């Protein structure tokens, strides 16, 4: 068994802190269950992650001044960036299914 968490477009450190607190609580309740976090937040690496938790960074989405979403770093259309992130997440989930089902 494993847990997958998705955190996207968190503004400020509060969202990351709450997500990490939730994951830490889950790890305390359910021993030896790894958690894999998917997030587009570049600052996630600055936080100390609990044991049994790792993350994969997806392409960063940026909200512009008129509230439209865009790809901040890839310079691609938003639909291409979202599709890339989705494929990355699905691929990683499929790979972890294989890893955790074989022991």
């Amino acid at each position: 068994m494993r847990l997958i968490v998705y955190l996207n477009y968190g503004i400020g450190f509060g969202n990351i802190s709450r997500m990490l607190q939730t994951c830490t609580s889950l790890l305390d309740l359910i021993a030896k269950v790894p958690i894999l976090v998917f997030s587009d937040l570049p600052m996630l690496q600055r936080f100390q992650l609990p044991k049994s938790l790792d993350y994969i960074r997806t392409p960063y989405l940026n909200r512009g001044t008129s509230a439209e979403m865009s790809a901040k770093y890839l310079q691609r259309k938003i639909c291409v960036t979202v599709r890339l992130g989705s494929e990355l997440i699905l691929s990683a989930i499929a790979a972890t299914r294989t890893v955790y089902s074989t022991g």
Side-chain angles (χ1 to χ4, degrees), residues 7-17 19-20 37 39-49 55 57-58 60-62 72-73:
L7 176 67
N8 75 319
Y9 194 68
I11 298 175
F13 291 110
N15 289 334
I16 298 172
S17 296
M19 182 271 301
L20 289 175
V37 175
S39 178
D40 67 344
L41 301 173
M43 71 282 292
L44 189 57
Q45 67 191 22
R46 296 182 186 166
F47 286 79
Q48 184 169 348
L49 303 177
Y55 73 96
R57 186 162 166 242
T58 57
Y60 186 66
L61 300 177
N62 188 38
K72 183 163 185 171
Y73 300 113

Side-chain angles (χ1 to χ4, degrees), residues 24-88:
T24 300
S25 295
L26 288 169
L27 289 168
D28 290 342
L29 291 172
I30 310 168
K32 298 181 182 178
V33 174
I35 297 177
L36 181 59
V37 175
F38 292 97
S39 178
D40 67 344
L41 301 173
M43 71 282 292
L44 189 57
Q45 67 191 22
R46 296 182 186 166
F47 286 79
Q48 184 169 348
L49 303 177
K51 287 184 178 182
S52 297
L53 186 143
D54 205 347
Y55 73 96
I56 294 175
R57 186 162 166 242
T58 57
Y60 186 66
L61 300 177
N62 188 38
R63 188 175 303 275
T65 55
S66 61
E68 80 282 356
M69 297 298 288
S70 64
K72 183 163 185 171
Y73 300 113
L74 291 179
Q75 305 300 317
R76 300 287 185 262
K77 291 182 179 181
I78 186 71
C79 61
V80 172
T81 304
V82 169
R83 186 174 63 235
L84 174 62
S86 299
E87 290 174 4
L88 178 64

